[in-house]
Amino acid sequence: MSLANKLAEERRARLAAERLLEQKQAELHAANRKLGKHALALSEEIVETRAEVQTVRDENERVKSDLTVANEKIQIAERRLWHSIETIQDGFAFFDIDSRMIAANKAWLAVFDGLEDVKPGVSYIEILQLVTEEGIIDIGDMPPAAWREKMLDRWQSPSPEAEVIRLWNGEYIKLIDQRGHGGDVVSLALNITDTVRYEKKLNDARRAAEAASKAKSSFLANMSHEIRTPMNGIVGMAELLIDTSLNEEQRLFADTIKSSGEALLVIINDVLDYSKIEAGKLELHEEPFDLERCIHELVTLMQVNTRDKGLDLLVDYDIFLPGRFIGDPGRLRQVLTNLIGNAVKFTEEGHVIVRATGVPSDDMRQTELHITIEDTGIGIPPDKAQHIFGEFNQVDDERNRKFEGTGLGLAISERLIRMMGGHIWVESEEGNGAVFGFSVTLPTAESVDPSSLHVPEGLKTALIVEDQPANRTILERQLGALGIRTQSVQSGAEALATLPGEVDLVVTDHIMPQMDGMELAEAMREAGHQMPVILLSPSPTTAEQDPARRHVQAVLGRPTPRADLFAALDRLKDRFTAPRAPAVEPPPPPEPAGARAMRVLAADDNKTNRLVFSKMVKALDIELEFATNGIEAVALYESFDPDLVFMDISMPEMDGKEATRRIREIEARSGRHVPVVAMTAHAMGGDKEDILSAGLDHYLTKPLSKSAISGQVAAAQPAGTRPPLPEDQAAS
Ligand code: ADP
């Protein structure tokens, strides 16, 4: 091989080697670059990780310091809490689920008076044991074991009741223990010594006040007795004086004494009632009573005043409303008396109507009664409507000066009705009359018997003759409710012009201008109209004595109780079906000849009262004997054999109650029962029951009235004796 070739070959080999070197160098370079990048990434990672580690380390430091702060706070809070617990005056302790004390404040521990054993860890049972052994607690007569058992039972109950204990030194501690969720018990011991002492003081004060109120009550009762007894003499004597021959001036004086005395008694009674209500001493005495009768009796009494004034006093008692209820008749009568009395007092002309309606309960056992008293008087300004129900309140002094009154009547009525669970109201316009009303719900004592409302078969139509519009409306409604067709006229002349028509019955007012009811009946008979006539009269006695009485088939009082109306319709029933004949009332049965006078015994220790009594019965046909005490009354009961006894209650030696008891003992052997009527000045609630329970039958309150005595005598007349009342009195 040539050198040139060799050189060429070498050059080629060198070139190839150079190329390989270049290639390897490039590869090395690339590898180096990669390594560099990797190293960079690695170092970045290391930096990051190091930063993270630092963050975690910082966090740990913060948490650690927070924890320290929190711990400090907890310690402060705990210290404060405990400080507060220590500061409060009341005892505070808590126990774990096993009833071991965890902690207690000083006040709680103070009760144990330095007993070292009472400290955290002690059990509740041990505490109970210690307090009984050391006499720390006054457990009274209770044996210590029983007391501990009682306290332990209480402690173990899920929610122990509060318990008051008394310490040896007279202090009172109220224990309030509360069981928590985990079974721990928080125990509070409150020192209530001051409260207990205060309560005791209050109780003592209340007892003293009650005693004072009782004393006031009995003072009032005594005052009532003391005032009533001499008033009995004054009013009674004045009444007797009026019956003697007097000149006009003397009569005026006597009348004034009597009416002033009576007015004073009304005031005394009002003040007494009001004091009793205020002292909570007034009790209601419930019994069955006849409301309708009660209203009619009151109205009859008040008619004396209304007649003088020319006022009409009417009753509109719902025909289907029961008559008998259970309630306190005396107190209802008092309310009615006040309301009707006011209506009459404040009305110069027109009318006063007492209306009674009611709504029965679903089972018919009770009735919600609504009673209104409507007048056409002076009325009440609206701004005074509530004011007048307050005590001593009147509409105004100027206006009231001409009317008597204390301003207590409505206040008493309002309270009485409230006590009965009802309410009272007034609706009025000044100058246009007033309607006072009250409603009470009372048990029904006797519901209306539908058969008693039966109208005779032939009675289909009635002619009402009545000049007074309010009266006419009431009659139309009552008869209409019974299914009787009514036709009304205003005078006798109009009635005669209408008859005979289709009229089965004529119901006429007695007192009418021009032709009165009696004259109408007479004129009807003369004209040949034979249908029966019922005459309604405010004074039935006068009507009975009218020569034209025989033309009238029934005379009924006005206002007319429903029972009287039904009884009259029933008596006439044959006349509606049978051919009509002129009616003549049968004459009263003749008195048995040779009958003796009634024997009446009256016992009273007071000479004036005996004198008053003898004068009051002077006109009666009776044989009267007096006893001056209970012993004499019993003796006379046996020797005199009375038909009726009037018995004073307060008498020396033997009082009226004891005397009556003895009389009833004597009668128990003979089987007789002579009525004994109490005469008393006592007016406090409960007296009546007390007296009646001693065996007395009736009760009269002093001052006695002639009519009350006569009423009792007439009611007690036995068969075979002469009527004790003179004819004019008997009729009324
Ligand atoms: P008194 O009638 O004794 O004054 P009341 O308490 O019964 O006391 O009545 C209080 C007042 O209410 C009366 O004074 C009167 O001014 C007024 N009053 C009561 N009823 C009526 C009435 N029917 N019409 C007008 N005013 C009345």
Side-chain angles (χ1 to χ4, degrees):
M1 175 183 329
S2 68
L3 186 56
N5 280 350
K6 262 196 181 175
L7 280 174
E9 210 171 269
E10 263 181 25
R11 206 181 61 224
R12 273 195 306 270
R14 194 176 29 94
L15 279 173
E18 275 176 359
R19 268 199 309 274
L20 189 64
L21 183 68
E22 255 173 39
Q23 188 190 340
K24 287 298 169 194
Q25 264 173 345
E27 278 175 14
L28 190 66
H29 194 68
N32 258 345
R33 249 193 349 259
K34 207 172 170 187
L35 203 64
K37 264 186 194 167
H38 193 67
L40 189 68
L42 213 59
S43 80
E44 276 172 2
E45 213 169 281
I46 286 169
V47 170
E48 254 173 44
T49 309
R50 201 178 288 144
E52 270 171 23
V53 166
Q54 189 57 41
T55 314
V56 170
R57 203 175 282 149
D58 290 351
E59 187 75 4
N60 271 351
E61 279 305 310
R62 205 174 49 76
V63 168
K64 230 190 244 167
S65 95
D66 281 359
L67 208 60
T68 315
V69 172
N71 267 333
E72 276 168 8
K73 278 188 181 164
I74 287 172
Q75 275 170 15
I76 293 171
E78 217 172 59
R79 229 184 10 254
R80 281 186 187 149
L81 180 67
W82 197 243
H83 182 70
S84 311
I85 288 173
E86 283 294 5
T87 313
I88 54 172
Q89 305 268 304
D90 298 312
F92 180 92
F94 42 100
F95 290 77
D96 66 14
I97 188 166
D98 300 321
S99 298
R100 290 201 173 273
M101 185 199 287
I102 299 171
N105 70 356
K106 282 199 204 85
W108 203 89
L109 294 171
V111 170
F112 303 95
D113 205 22
L115 272 184
E116 278 174 11
D117 291 343
V118 183
K119 60 181 179 209
V122 68
S123 76
Y124 193 72
I125 304 171
E126 285 164 343
I127 294 175
L128 292 178
Q129 190 76 33
L130 280 168
V131 291
T132 42
E133 277 169 7
E134 300 289 329
I136 289 174
I137 289 180
D138 178 0
I139 56 172
D141 298 335
M142 206 166 179
W147 184 82
R148 285 194 296 265
E149 199 178 320
K150 180 186 96 167
M151 294 299 283
L152 202 58
D153 282 352
R154 171 186 167 277
W155 177 263
Q156 283 163 346
S157 77
S159 49
E161 294 270 311
E163 170 87 18
V164 175
I165 53 172
R166 200 178 120 100
L167 302 185
W168 58 276
N169 57 4
E171 297 206 334
Y172 288 89
I173 306 285
K174 184 175 190 175
L175 298 176
I176 300 173
D177 301 321
Q178 191 151 25
R179 203 166 282 282
H181 280 309
D184 284 2
V185 178
V186 171
S187 174
L188 284 179
L190 314 181
N191 192 325
I192 55 163
T193 312
D194 286 347
T195 316
V196 171
R197 289 198 183 129
Y198 185 62
E199 261 174 23
K200 192 173 167 303
K201 256 193 206 158
L202 277 185
N203 276 338
D204 290 349
R206 195 186 42 162
R207 264 196 294 277
E210 274 171 4
S213 156
K214 212 169 178 184
K216 188 180 87 181
S217 232
S218 62
F219 166 74
L220 287 175
N222 285 338
M223 186 180 87
S224 121
H225 181 87
E226 296 305 328
I227 298 178
R228 278 158 169 272
T229 307
M231 283 309 286
N232 185 31
I234 296 171
V235 175
M237 280 300 181
E239 199 175 325
L240 295 172
L241 197 60
I242 291 165
D243 283 349
T244 62
S245 66
L246 299 174
N247 67 30
E248 213 169 292
E249 195 180 32
Q250 289 166 331
R251 183 166 301 281
L252 177 71
F253 293 165
D255 279 341
T256 312
I257 295 174
K258 184 173 171 248
S259 60
S260 307
E262 284 170 347
L264 183 58
L265 276 169
V266 170
I267 295 170
I268 291 169
N269 283 343
D270 273 1
V271 173
L272 274 174
D273 274 347
Y274 191 76
S275 321
K276 273 193 281 179
I277 294 174
E278 283 303 281
K281 293 275 175 218
L282 193 127
E283 286 168 18
L284 296 177
H285 299 284
E286 303 199 332
E287 57 183 284
F289 74 102
D290 191 327
L291 175 69
E292 189 189 7
R293 166 122 51 97
C294 171
I295 293 177
H296 276 99
E297 281 172 1
L298 281 178
V299 164
T300 310
L301 268 177
M302 304 230 187
Q303 261 173 345
V304 182
N305 302 335
T306 50
R307 220 172 292 153
D308 294 347
K309 277 180 152 185
L311 269 184
D312 280 305
L313 179 52
L314 316 172
V315 176
D316 184 4
Y317 197 96
D318 184 345
I319 206 118
F320 298 108
L321 182 66
R324 290 176 64 77
F325 296 93
I326 296 173
D328 186 329
R331 295 299 172 187
L332 269 175
R333 181 186 276 267
Q334 187 175 359
V335 174
L336 284 167
T337 308
N338 181 249
L339 298 184
I340 303 174
N342 277 349
V344 171
K345 182 161 73 172
F346 295 106
T347 306
E348 287 308 321
E349 55 184 25
H351 62 244
V352 172
I353 304 181
V354 184
R355 288 187 207 278
T357 55
V359 186
S361 61
D362 289 343
D363 59 3
M364 307 296 276
R365 294 218 183 135
Q366 293 195 322
T367 305
E368 189 187 317
L369 278 173
H370 292 267
I371 301 187
T372 55
I373 291 90
E374 180 186 308
D375 67 52
T376 52
I378 59 173
I380 297 151
D383 59 323
K384 298 283 181 186
Q386 278 316 306
H387 171 76
I388 52 171
F389 288 101
E391 60 273 22
F392 303 108
N393 289 352
Q394 301 182 322
V395 163
D396 71 53
D397 298 343
E398 183 64 31
R399 195 184 85 151
N400 269 73
R401 206 159 292 156
K402 61 178 180 163
F403 301 105
E404 286 177 353
T406 55
L408 270 180
L410 287 178
I412 294 172
S413 302
E414 194 267 342
R415 279 162 179 75
L416 288 176
I417 292 296
R418 203 164 357 119
M419 279 177 78
M420 294 176 195
H423 69 285
I424 190 166
W425 69 89
V426 59
E427 281 166 27
S428 176
E429 233 178 76
E430 194 168 16
N432 264 337
V435 182
F436 278 83
F438 65 88
S439 77
V440 279
T441 300
L442 297 182
T444 315
E446 202 176 77
S447 49
V448 175
D449 172 10
S451 68
S452 72
L453 300 179
H454 177 71
V455 169
E457 232 166 73
L459 174 55
K460 301 272 185 270
T461 55
L463 177 68
I464 297 170
V465 191
E466 168 66 79
D467 59 319
Q468 219 284 330
N471 251 338
R472 210 161 47 228
T473 315
I474 296 174
L475 266 175
E476 283 167 1
R477 230 199 6 253
Q478 287 193 329
L479 295 179
L482 296 174
I484 302 172
R485 255 182 296 125
T486 60
Q487 185 185 351
S488 299
V489 292
Q490 298 182 28
S491 67
E494 268 186 71
L496 288 172
T498 312
L499 291 171
E502 278 187 24
V503 174
D504 300 315
L505 169 72
V506 172
V507 181
T508 178
D509 185 17
H510 184 189
I511 316 291
M512 290 183 291
Q514 279 112 34
M515 181 187 285
D516 75 17
M518 281 295 182
E519 289 164 342
L520 167 65
E522 196 166 8
M524 275 174 59
R525 302 306 179 223
E526 273 169 17
H529 306 309
Q530 295 303 330
M531 64 285 284
V533 175
I534 294 181
L535 182 114
L536 307 180
S537 174
S539 47
T541 326
T542 324
E544 289 291 354
Q545 285 157 6
D546 195 301
R549 168 68 180 88
R550 63 200 165 89
H551 300 304
V552 166
Q553 279 57 60
V555 171
L556 303 180
R558 151 150 270 174
T560 321
R562 296 170 304 174
D564 290 3
L565 180 66
F566 288 121
L569 291 180
D570 194 53
R571 274 201 307 276
L572 295 174
K573 63 176 180 286
D574 296 337
R575 299 186 54 106
F576 298 119
T577 41
R580 289 156 188 171
V584 180
E585 290 284 302
E591 267 167 36
R596 65 170 174 86
M598 240 180 109
R599 287 189 289 269
V600 174
L601 169 63
D604 200 314
D605 60 314
N606 184 300
K607 200 169 149 202
T608 315
N609 285 350
R610 289 200 299 273
L611 184 60
V612 170
F613 189 93
S614 64
K615 300 287 181 188
M616 282 187 166
V617 297
K618 201 170 74 183
L620 307 190
D621 180 12
I622 57 169
E623 207 180 318
L624 177 67
E625 283 278 349
F626 277 113
T628 60
N629 60 41
I631 299 174
E632 266 183 48
V634 178
L636 270 171
Y637 171 82
E638 292 198 278
S639 59
F640 177 55
D641 190 19
D643 301 306
L644 172 65
V645 181
F646 285 94
M647 185 76 82
D648 183 27
I649 294 300
S650 311
M651 288 189 290
E653 290 181 67
M654 183 188 284
D655 71 12
K657 287 189 278 186
E658 183 54 33
T660 310
R661 261 184 228 113
R662 304 253 171 121
I663 290 175
R664 295 299 179 227
E665 275 167 28
I666 299 168
E667 288 181 341
R669 297 193 283 274
S670 67
R672 263 187 92 196
H673 184 97
V674 171
V676 180
V677 180
M679 303 188 289
T680 173
H682 287 274
M684 295 296 276
D687 288 341
K688 183 177 173 184
E689 289 64 30
D690 188 33
I691 288 168
L692 298 185
S693 69
L696 291 107
D697 303 273
H698 304 286
Y699 178 93
L700 292 182
T701 311
K702 290 178 183 176
L704 303 175
S705 77
K706 226 167 159 181
S707 60
I709 296 177
S710 306
Q712 292 290 346
V713 172
Q717 185 199 352
T721 57
R722 291 197 295 272
L725 270 50
E727 253 175 40
D728 57 331
Q729 271 193 45
S732 62

